[in-house]
């Protein structure tokens, strides 16, 4: 039987791709508070520098363009072994009805959100210690899409299938994902302040918990997936009840 000590993140080495903002940053903070050794990766050196000022001594960060496979390959070849991989890297999505969607531009949205995660699993998994895990990011757009969400829904659905396939192929490494609903992150930064606040209020009022999510809510799900030892191939919905209403 697993003991509580086996479910601790203390002294575990955790690599978070997309760890300088949003869900990744919240996960880095939460894991660091439990004694984990944090490695954050993102494309923005200034954000990395700012995050490292608040994380415990010994935390490290790397500015890497995660849209390029070669960069991901080189990073994992040099970073050494670790215990848990978390992938939250994403750029802002543009929502369009399919009639207005430019397919070449739509393809590009898969590059960081899906193929970046694919490459991270390919090149990172050989370096994961026994008992380790991979946690990716999907979203409820796959099961509860709205008009204009064709690309986002497709990416989320692809990620969920990828998680199940990797759980089988990479066993006993545990592979799971978190499926957030609407969360207050920079995902919505392309909207005006007024439109964004209206989105948060309208969505929040419709949810069972009567608010939209915070990054810290989703970080707790990533910590759970790292600390538990029995679930794999799972896509965990954390959405305030959005798929039920």
């Amino acid at each position: 039987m697993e003991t509580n000590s086996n479910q601790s993140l203390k002294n575990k080495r955790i690599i978070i791709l997309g760890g300088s903002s949003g869900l990744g940053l919240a996960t880095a903070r939460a894991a660091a508070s439990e004694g984990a050794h944090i490695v954050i990766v993102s494309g923005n050196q200034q954000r990395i520098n700012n995050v490292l000022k608040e994380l415990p001594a010994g935390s490290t960060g790397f500015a890497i363009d995660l849209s390029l496979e070669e960069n991901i390959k080189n990073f994992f070849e040099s970073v050494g072994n670790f215990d848990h991989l978390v992938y939250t890297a994403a750029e802002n999505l543009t929502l369009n009805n399919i009639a207005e969607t430019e397919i070449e531009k739509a393809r590009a949205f898969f590059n960081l959100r899906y193929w970046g995660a694919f490459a991270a699993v390919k090149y990172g998994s050989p370096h994961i210690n026994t008992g380790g895990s991979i946690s990716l990011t999907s979203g409820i757009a796959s099961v509860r899409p709205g008009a204009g969400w064709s690309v986002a829904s497709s990416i989320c659905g692809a990620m969920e299938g990828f998680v199940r396939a990797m759980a089988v192929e990479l066993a006993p490494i545990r592979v799971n994902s978190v499926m957030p609903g609407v969360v207050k992150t920079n995902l919505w930064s392309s909207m005006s302040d007024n439109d964004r606040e209206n989105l948060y209020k309208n969505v929040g009022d419709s949810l069972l918990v009567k608010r939209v999510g915070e990054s810290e809510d989703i970080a707790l799900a990533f910590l759970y997936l790292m600390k538990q030892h029995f679930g794999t191939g799972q896509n965990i919905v954390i959405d305030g009840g959005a798929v039920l209403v």
Side-chain angles (χ1 to χ4, degrees), residues 159-245:
M159 186 64 72
E160 290 153 38
F162 179 57
V163 162
R164 289 187 285 268
M166 290 300 96
V168 174
E169 183 172 322
L170 300 179
I173 296 172
R174 291 173 289 105
V175 184
N176 299 289
S177 85
V178 178
M179 298 172 61
V182 175
V183 180
K184 291 182 180 180
T185 70
N186 53 7
L187 174 68
W188 312 103
S189 60
S190 60
M191 302 174 69
S192 71
D193 290 347
N194 187 58
D195 287 347
R196 187 167 56 250
E197 289 308 312
N198 285 337
L199 169 72
Y200 292 157
K201 183 180 189 308
N202 292 336
V203 172
D205 288 347
S206 74
L207 295 178
L208 300 179
V209 298
K210 299 305 176 187
R211 66 175 178 86
V212 296
E214 302 284 351
S215 295
E216 292 75 14
D217 295 316
I218 311 306
L220 290 175
F222 281 112
L223 260 62
Y224 164 74
L225 289 175
M226 288 184 271
K227 293 165 71 172
Q228 61 85 28
H229 283 249
F230 198 57
T232 191
Q234 302 303 304
N235 297 288
I236 308 296
V237 174
I238 308 292
D239 70 345
V243 299
L244 301 177
V245 296

Side-chain angles (χ1 to χ4, degrees), residues 84-105:
H84 303 288
L85 172 64
V86 176
Y87 192 97
T88 62
E91 78 286 67
N92 292 347
L93 280 172
T94 301
L95 304 179
N96 290 304
N97 288 338
I98 195 166
E100 287 78 45
T101 298
E102 296 181 43
I103 293 177
E104 282 304 313
K105 289 184 178 179

Side-chain angles (χ1 to χ4, degrees), residues 27-49:
T27 302
R29 288 169 173 157
S33 73
E34 297 200 9
H37 300 303
I38 304 299
V39 180
I40 60 171
V41 180
S42 82
N44 188 307
Q45 184 67 62
Q46 186 57 55
R47 282 209 304 256
I48 289 172
N49 294 342

